[in-house]
Amino acid sequence: MKRMYNIVVGICLTMGLLMCSQVTRAQETQTAKSEANPMDVKEILFSHVGDTYEWHIATWGDLHLTIPLPIIVYSKATGWHAFLSSRLEENGGTYEGFSLAPEGSPYEGKIVERDKAGNEVRPFDISITKITFALFINSLLLVCIVLGVARWYKKHPKSPVAPGGFVGFMEMFIMMVNDDIIKPSVGPNYKKFAPYLLTAFFFIFINNLMGLIPIFPGGASVTGNMAITLVLAACTFLAVNLFGTKAYWKDIFWPDVPLWLKVPIPIMPFIEFFGIFTKPFALMIRLFANMLAGHMAMLVLTCLIFISVSMGPAMNGALTFASVLFNIFMNALELLVAFIQAYVFTMLSAVFIGLAQERHEPTKAEIKEAN
């Protein structure tokens, strides 16, 4: 509990860096509009949480500060193409036969081309989108943190001096995840899976935190993208089933239940086999939905400032104050959620992996090592 308390205190100190700038989210994507041209809240919400071929940073008047990202596609008719997304805007929305699918299209917002019949078709697309670019930045940041901590231990091998500062904080964090989540959930064979589970925890946590920072290079909701959570859940799925023991597979195809539940209709084996896929699916949806909902709630609260402009100074001032107040509360709550979601994903992954391992009574040596 003391270790958990220290971690919470450290996270709360970080909170101050995130609270002050949350209210600027909507200003980065949309300026206040007149009554004749009201703000499109739906467009702001989905443009922020969605994936795009450019990274919009800020807007000052008519100046839009945007980072164009590389579009890399393969067309069956014309082969490979690589160009910056700014080329589309410079050439009236079409470049080398490619364009963004308009609203209402089944490929809305994606790169498409026209076939000989004039129909929209999707090329093979491996473009560096906003989420991909943010993923690279956050992963590089995580690698720098890990290597920085490892460098201290390399310089102080078997040192009796405990690390302090950030290295000490990271050691406490890593030991908390290892000792309080991985070891009791996986069991005696925990060392085999600790590298993956530690990586998953810190990968999710750093991406969650970066998504709360509204200025570049933060602001992209990486873990609010289903493709990212799908890959994470697939990694847990492989870790559970590829390393599952004979006892694990026996419990799936011939569980210890009354015979009439297995023969002639394999009711329980079917349910157990179906559970192999529902567990990682639940991991994917839980992480995706929680992070996406938090981002959208904060954006809706921020948009109240601009929606209420036409209601008069008194109403606009009251709603602005309420929006700022609730945004600070939501930002603090989302900071806690960022940690909780990383914790829950790692804990459930460790539990699923532990259930797939053959359990046995711990030996005296294992008890001694655990203590």
Side-chain angles (χ1 to χ4, degrees):
M1 289 300 296
K2 184 177 180 181
R3 186 178 298 161
M4 179 67 73
Y5 172 78
N6 291 334
I7 290 174
V8 172
V9 170
I11 292 175
C12 289
L13 292 176
T14 311
M15 190 185 302
L17 299 175
L18 305 175
M19 287 184 180
C20 60
S21 54
Q22 178 61 45
V23 183
T24 62
R25 280 185 185 271
Q27 292 175 327
E28 296 176 359
T29 55
Q30 178 86 18
T31 56
K33 298 182 179 180
S34 63
E35 294 182 18
N37 189 22
M39 168 180 274
D40 190 344
V41 178
K42 179 182 176 181
E43 180 184 353
I44 294 176
L45 291 179
F46 287 97
S47 65
H48 176 78
V49 299
D51 203 3
T52 59
Y53 293 97
E54 61 183 15
W55 194 322
H56 182 260
I57 297 176
T59 298
W60 286 280
D62 295 330
L63 176 63
H64 296 273
L65 182 58
T66 302
I67 299 177
L69 298 173
I71 294 176
I72 307 170
V73 292
Y74 176 78
S75 169
K76 293 181 179 180
T78 57
W80 286 100
H81 296 261
F83 53 90
L84 290 177
S85 58
S86 56
R87 294 290 187 182
L88 295 172
E89 186 176 353
E90 293 170 359
N91 293 273
T94 302
Y95 185 74
E96 296 184 355
F98 298 97
S99 61
L100 289 178
E103 185 177 355
S105 168
Y107 309 116
E108 181 178 346
K110 300 298 182 181
I111 289 289
V112 295
E113 61 178 338
R114 298 282 180 176
D115 59 14
K116 294 181 179 179
N119 300 317
E120 289 182 349
V121 293
R122 278 279 285 155
F124 179 65
D125 191 352
I126 55 171
S127 304
I128 307 298
T129 60
K130 177 183 176 181
I131 295 298
T132 307
F133 190 40
L135 183 62
F136 288 159
I137 294 174
N138 298 346
S139 299
L140 180 62
L141 177 60
L142 180 59
V143 169
C144 292
I145 291 173
V146 172
L147 292 181
V149 174
R151 185 179 180 185
W152 187 95
Y153 286 97
K154 187 177 181 180
K155 289 183 176 180
H156 303 82
K158 300 181 181 179
S159 174
V161 180
F166 182 74
V167 176
F169 173 75
M170 286 301 298
E171 179 185 321
M172 177 186 64
F173 218 161
I174 292 169
M175 294 305 295
M176 183 275 295
V177 177
N178 185 72
D179 294 347
D180 296 345
I181 303 177
I182 300 174
K183 189 183 292 187
S185 299
V186 177
N189 203 22
Y190 75 95
K191 289 184 179 179
K192 183 177 180 180
F193 303 97
Y196 162 66
L197 293 170
L198 283 167
T199 301
F201 176 87
F202 285 103
F203 175 82
I204 295 171
F205 187 53
I206 197 76
N207 279 287
N208 289 350
L209 288 183
M210 290 296 288
L212 294 176
I213 303 174
I215 56 176
F216 182 82
S221 181
V222 175
T223 45
N225 185 285
M226 191 174 291
I228 303 297
T229 59
L230 172 62
V231 173
L232 288 169
C235 290
T236 295
F237 173 81
L238 294 175
V240 171
N241 295 287
L242 290 182
F243 298 97
T245 62
K246 292 180 180 180
Y248 166 71
W249 289 108
K250 176 185 174 298
D251 287 340
I252 291 175
F253 293 107
W254 196 255
D256 188 16
V257 295
L259 189 62
W260 62 272
L261 291 174
K262 298 180 285 188
V263 178
I265 301 176
I267 299 175
M268 287 306 298
F270 174 78
I271 293 175
E272 292 290 341
F273 183 76
F274 187 67
I276 294 176
F277 302 97
T278 57
K279 290 174 183 176
F281 180 78
L283 286 177
M284 176 187 71
I285 295 299
R286 179 184 286 107
L287 179 59
F288 161 74
N290 278 281
M291 301 314 300
L292 180 67
H295 280 265
M296 297 192 75
M298 287 187 288
L299 282 170
V300 168
L301 288 171
T302 305
C303 287
L304 286 176
I305 299 173
F306 305 99
I307 294 173
S308 62
V309 168
S310 61
M311 300 179 183
M315 182 64 72
N316 180 239
L319 287 178
T320 298
F321 177 78
S323 175
V324 172
L325 194 64
F326 278 106
N327 256 311
I328 293 175
F329 169 75
M330 284 297 298
N331 215 338
L333 182 63
E334 280 299 298
L335 187 60
L336 180 62
V337 170
F339 172 77
I340 290 175
Q341 289 305 313
Y343 186 98
V344 169
F345 186 96
T346 308
M347 182 189 67
L348 290 178
S349 295
V351 169
F352 296 156
I353 292 172
L355 292 173
Q357 303 299 303
E358 191 170 357
R359 295 283 183 164
H360 65 276
E361 290 298 324
T363 63
K364 292 182 179 179
E366 290 173 342
I367 295 174
K368 185 177 180 181
E369 181 184 356
N371 294 330

